[in-house]
Amino acid sequence: MEPQQFIQNLGSELGLSDLKFSDELTCRLIVGDQAVIDLEWVEAEGVLQMYSAIGPEPQDESELLREMLVANLFGAGTGKAVLAIDESAREVLLCREFAIASFDTKQFAEQLNAFIERTAYWTERLAKIEPGDSSEGDSEAFTPPAGADILRP
């Protein structure tokens, strides 16, 4: 599927008729006050990257970093996405990659909504950490925030 056709189909699926890729094949979705999700079509690699900056890099937070690594194991706590630190920006990203060849727009929209829920969860989780706080992570299971499926381009 061509990038512009994909994003147009996704826009239709989400009720966002003006959704389109930039000339660099990127698109930003702003989800209320919950999340900013970036989509990047990387044709040379045959993938669509989906990512969100969820907070600043934790400083000396071994328990939080441990929690993030545990969540990464087989994507169990991240919805098959990956938590990572962008060294240059000094921030934590939640990232997921999709093979372009296997796209189904409806299924991708479902995965996007799940990613939005995980982004909101991890953004909130990182925001709870005060510099120098060594408190243990929440023991509660992941629960999606209300209204996580409301998007605007």
Side-chain angles (χ1 to χ4, degrees):
M1 181 178 297
E2 293 296 316
Q4 295 302 344
Q5 183 63 52
F6 167 76
I7 203 73
Q8 187 176 29
N9 291 352
L10 180 62
S12 294
E13 186 70 35
L14 300 173
L16 301 169
S17 59
D18 294 338
L19 197 62
K20 61 182 177 180
F21 279 122
S22 69
D23 291 341
E24 293 82 28
L25 297 178
T26 61
C27 178
R28 176 165 281 182
L29 300 169
I30 301 171
V31 187
D33 293 335
Q34 295 176 326
V36 174
I37 309 294
D38 290 300
L39 303 176
E40 185 172 342
W41 189 277
V42 187
E43 199 154 10
E45 296 177 23
V47 298
L48 176 73
Q49 297 283 349
M50 178 167 50
Y51 51 93
S52 179
I54 59 172
E57 176 183 356
Q59 301 298 311
D60 299 320
E61 299 296 340
S62 60
E63 188 60 36
L64 175 61
L65 292 174
R66 181 185 183 289
E67 182 182 345
M68 291 167 56
L69 287 172
V70 168
N72 274 343
L73 182 62
F74 303 118
T78 60
K80 298 182 184 176
V82 175
L83 289 161
I85 294 174
D86 179 344
E87 282 188 303
S88 62
R90 300 190 59 103
E91 61 189 2
V92 178
L93 298 179
L94 184 64
C95 316
R96 184 148 181 215
E97 185 175 276
F98 295 87
I100 292 171
S102 63
F103 270 150
D104 173 279
T105 309
K106 184 176 177 93
Q107 288 177 343
F108 181 79
E110 292 169 3
Q111 294 300 316
L112 174 61
N113 278 321
F115 187 83
I116 290 166
E117 292 169 356
R118 295 296 173 151
T119 298
Y121 171 81
W122 282 104
T123 299
E124 183 179 317
R125 178 68 188 99
L126 264 64
K128 288 181 181 179
I129 299 300
E130 298 292 326
D133 180 8
S134 61
S135 63
E136 296 201 14
D138 293 341
S139 59
E140 299 174 17
F142 170 80
T143 54
D149 58 348
I150 301 169
L151 298 173
R152 65 181 170 93

